[in-house]
Amino acid sequence: MAERTRQDDTGRRSRLGGLSLAAQVFVLQVVIVLLLIVAAVVALVLQVRHDSTQEARNRSLAVAETFANSPGIVQALASPDPTAVLQPKAEATRRAAHVDFVVVTNTDGIRYTHPKPDRIGKKFVGDIAPALAGQSVVEEVDGTIGRLVQAVVPVKGPGGRVVGLVSAGITTRHAGGTADRQMPLLLAAAATALALSTGGTALVSRRLLRQTHGLGPREMTRMYEHHDAVLHTVREGVIIVGGDGRLLLANDEAHRLLDLPDDAERRHVLDLGLDPGTADLLSSGRVATDEVHLVGDRLIAINQRPTDLAGGPPGSVATLRDSTELRALSGKADAARERLDMLYAAGVGIGTSLDVTRTAEELVELAVPRFADFATVDLFDAVLDGDEPEPGSVLRRTAVTGVREGAPLYAVGEQIRFVGTSPQARGMAQGRPVLEARLAESPGWRAQDLERTEQVVDFGIHSLIAVPVRAGSLLLGVVTFWRSERPDPFDREEVALAEELVTRAAVTIDNARRYTREHGMAVTLQRSLLPRTLPEQNALDIAYRYLPAQAGVGGDWFDVLPPAGARVAAGRGEEVSLL
């Protein structure tokens, strides 16, 4: 039985849960109205019956006392036939007072009067003891004419002696008659109230049905949970402001972007400590599209639309987007694209000639001003001659360029011996780039030349990257990138770019070095094949000068030959002339 009851309850809940939220609200409101009407009817009926009973008690007592104290009642009780005298008077009083009976009895409770004559002479039904003691009493009893409310009053003769009793009463059927007569009117009023409330509930439920799209409470709960989760996890601020300018909702991202207090909801937008421009926009509700406002150190792009365009409630909803972070990301993407372009340019622009000096110049021309404000290349003298450098030898400034003239850096051609604490010396010793973000705070760099480094700092150069030039295991020199115009120092990402640039240039410098060495060997070989002196002859005085077609050495030859006779043959390349 208990299991069946639980199943029935579950079935009822299931059927109710299958209704939409609007239908459930309608059913609930109708049930509440019915309960209120039933409670009102029951309360009114009980109140009417209570009032009717109280009125019956009061009327019965008043009629009994009035009749008991009426003139001639004592004489009538003492007469030989009290019934003949009192019965007509009692019935007249009963009809006039609208009570159900007026009964006069002797002190033994024997009736002298009664609405039904056959009850005269019989014992009175009720408690007469208090009346015999001189007190009036009102009681509810089951009498000969039904359930009734009756009052028993003593009739006092001379000296206050009780000589008889008078009882007047009303049956409870007549006492409740007022409630019964009012019941149709009461039910009609209840039906009218039920109809009005049901109609109003139906209108409210219809509006709720449109707003909830027929979803049930569970679906509404799940939808709210999903919407709430999405609202507070999106990386875009959402602000809802009411028509009175008070903040109704702000998601987590909006709290973060605007730095809102924890109790921001339900407060006026103008009282949230926002900058005046942003606060005025959010409180005005006007349309805004990507309107940028400075909030603290952030640039916030605000889009705002009113909520009452399609008959919705007054107010506005705004979305907030941190354009500062977007610009930073865009800047990083631009920087990465520029670095790729620079590496591509390095691949096609460095090493266009097999000349060490020209390759160094191409490197600094590429780096300035795209990457650095100044750039210098220092190579060992042996590299410039095409030989392999010896560790510990001095370097020579091979190339230098910058965005301004007059920089107090070593000039081209100067020999440099870097001290061990300098970034250049440390980079060559460690075989990896060295970053000095703030030259003014670098005692190791300043130890190179206190006077010159002071001039460099005063000139505005504040940061450098020193990158060793390595070709395999061979150290060729060092490249230094300097920054002065841009206030930010070099960072780790720029160190990686500098190393990539120098690595690509190192290959071409080493190739140029090898070419210089091989070219020198070829020139030496070819010059060794040229004649040291010309043969002696008497026909002409010969003088010569060797001018190759290209720099260094060409593929030509020259000679003077003495044929037979007084002739002379002069030859150059493939041409031979007889003079």
Side-chain angles (χ1 to χ4, degrees):
M1 178 64 70
E3 182 66 26
R4 185 181 301 111
T5 302
R6 285 195 297 270
Q7 291 177 354
D8 293 341
D9 293 341
T10 302
R12 283 193 295 270
R13 288 196 298 269
S14 177
R15 288 191 296 272
L16 186 60
L19 298 176
S20 66
L21 179 62
Q24 292 190 27
V25 170
F26 176 78
V27 172
L28 179 62
Q29 289 183 338
V30 169
V31 170
I32 291 175
V33 170
L34 284 175
L35 291 177
L36 291 176
I37 292 175
V38 170
V41 170
V42 171
L44 185 59
V45 169
L46 293 177
Q47 183 65 38
V48 169
R49 289 189 175 180
H50 174 269
D51 294 344
S52 299
T53 301
Q54 187 64 36
E55 182 185 358
R57 294 170 68 91
N58 295 337
R59 187 153 28 117
S60 298
L61 181 60
V63 171
E65 287 181 343
T66 301
F67 195 85
N69 294 304
S70 61
I73 185 68
V74 176
Q75 292 77 6
L77 290 172
S79 65
D81 190 1
T83 298
V85 178
L86 296 175
Q87 177 70 5
K89 292 182 178 181
E91 286 302 300
T93 302
R94 177 181 69 81
R95 287 190 292 270
H98 301 289
V99 294
D100 289 325
F101 65 89
V102 176
V103 174
V104 181
T105 69
N106 59 16
T107 55
D108 294 329
I110 302 302
R111 300 187 185 96
Y112 289 144
T113 64
H114 196 280
K116 296 181 179 181
D118 59 339
R119 308 294 174 86
I120 297 174
K122 295 182 179 180
K123 186 71 174 179
F124 176 76
V125 179
D127 185 11
I128 63 175
L132 292 176
Q135 299 177 357
S136 299
V137 62
V138 180
E139 59 182 353
E140 294 184 23
V141 298
D142 292 325
T144 57
I145 58 175
R147 185 72 178 172
L148 51 85
V149 177
Q150 64 182 12
V152 182
V153 177
V155 179
K156 296 179 180 180
R161 182 174 62 86
V162 177
V163 297
L165 305 174
V166 175
S167 176
I170 302 174
T171 60
T172 55
R173 177 174 55 83
H174 291 163
T178 303
D180 295 338
R181 288 190 300 272
Q182 293 179 349
M183 186 60 67
L185 180 61
L186 184 61
L187 292 177
T192 302
L194 177 61
L196 293 176
S197 61
T198 302
T201 301
L203 293 176
V204 173
S205 299
R206 184 179 178 183
R207 178 68 178 272
L208 184 60
L209 182 64
R210 286 201 308 269
Q211 294 179 343
T212 59
H213 301 286
L215 296 177
R218 294 181 180 178
E219 290 79 7
M220 290 288 295
T221 301
R222 286 196 297 268
M223 183 179 68
Y224 174 79
E225 292 173 350
H226 293 164
H227 287 184
D228 187 66
V230 171
L231 182 66
H232 291 286
T233 54
V234 294
R235 294 292 293 172
E236 190 170 81
V238 178
I239 292 285
I240 298 178
V241 180
D244 57 354
R246 295 185 181 276
L247 180 64
L248 302 181
L249 182 143
N251 68 346
D252 295 342
E253 183 68 4
H255 273 270
R256 185 182 72 87
L257 295 177
L258 300 179
D259 194 21
L260 297 176
D262 295 336
D263 60 345
E265 278 78 6
R266 298 298 176 183
R267 291 175 57 183
H268 201 281
V269 174
L270 299 178
D271 299 333
L272 298 179
L274 301 175
D275 67 281
T278 304
D280 291 341
L281 171 61
L282 296 178
S283 62
S284 66
R286 64 179 174 83
V287 176
T289 301
D290 286 336
E291 188 170 312
V292 179
H293 288 256
L294 180 62
V295 180
D297 57 350
R298 300 177 182 273
L299 290 174
I300 306 299
I302 302 177
N303 289 274
Q304 182 167 268
R305 295 293 184 273
T307 57
D308 56 356
L309 294 179
S316 62
V317 58
T319 59
L320 315 173
R321 188 174 65 255
D322 190 351
S323 61
T324 305
E325 296 179 359
L326 293 177
R327 291 187 181 184
L329 292 175
S330 176
K332 290 181 179 180
D334 292 340
R337 183 167 54 253
E338 183 178 352
R339 290 170 185 174
L340 289 175
D341 292 342
M342 189 181 302
L343 292 176
Y344 174 77
V348 299
I350 299 177
T352 59
S353 67
L354 291 174
D355 182 81
V356 174
T357 301
R358 180 55 192 156
T359 302
E361 292 173 349
E362 290 172 347
L363 172 59
V364 296
E365 290 170 359
L366 175 70
V368 177
R370 299 174 65 179
F371 176 66
D373 298 318
F374 295 89
T376 59
V377 178
D378 303 313
L379 301 176
F380 292 107
D381 283 332
V383 175
L384 298 174
D385 297 334
D387 298 328
E388 294 185 0
E390 297 179 2
S393 58
V394 297
L395 293 94
R396 188 175 297 275
R397 178 62 47 91
T398 307
V400 59
T401 190
V403 295
R404 289 184 290 161
E405 298 291 337
L409 301 173
Y410 291 111
V412 172
E414 288 193 54
Q415 286 189 328
I416 307 171
R417 186 182 295 275
F418 290 107
V419 298
T421 59
S422 66
Q424 291 84 351
R426 287 188 286 129
M428 290 188 293
Q430 299 170 4
R432 61 175 181 267
V434 175
L435 168 64
E436 284 292 347
R438 293 175 176 81
L439 295 180
E441 303 172 5
S442 175
W445 171 75
R446 297 179 75 98
Q448 175 69 32
D449 185 339
L450 293 178
E451 182 179 356
R452 184 182 294 272
T453 54
E454 186 69 27
Q455 294 174 355
V456 169
V457 172
D458 292 341
F459 189 74
I461 298 176
H462 58 84
S463 180
L464 69 80
I465 300 175
V467 185
V469 182
R470 301 186 63 87
S473 60
L474 193 64
L475 179 63
L476 306 178
V478 63
V479 178
T480 307
F481 301 98
W482 313 78
R483 176 164 287 177
S484 66
E485 301 301 312
R486 283 170 281 189
D488 296 333
F490 287 112
D491 56 28
R492 292 296 175 185
E493 293 183 1
E494 291 172 315
V495 170
L497 176 59
E499 184 176 19
E500 181 68 21
L501 284 174
V502 174
T503 299
R504 297 193 178 198
V507 175
T508 59
I509 291 175
D510 188 52
N511 289 338
R513 178 192 67 82
R514 293 174 183 273
Y515 172 78
T516 301
R517 182 186 63 185
E518 302 299 331
H519 183 265
M521 293 174 61
V523 169
T524 301
L525 176 60
Q526 287 191 339
R527 286 188 178 275
S528 67
L529 298 177
L530 295 176
R532 297 288 184 269
T533 60
L534 295 178
E536 295 183 2
Q537 44 81 34
N538 297 324
L540 294 173
D541 291 330
I542 301 297
Y544 70 91
R545 187 173 126 185
Y546 178 69
L547 293 175
Q550 296 181 355
V553 66
D556 296 334
W557 58 269
F558 70 93
D559 203 352
V560 177
L561 304 175
R567 293 178 300 171
V568 176
R572 180 178 68 84
E574 298 179 354
E575 297 180 2
V576 178
S577 300
L578 292 176
L579 302 176

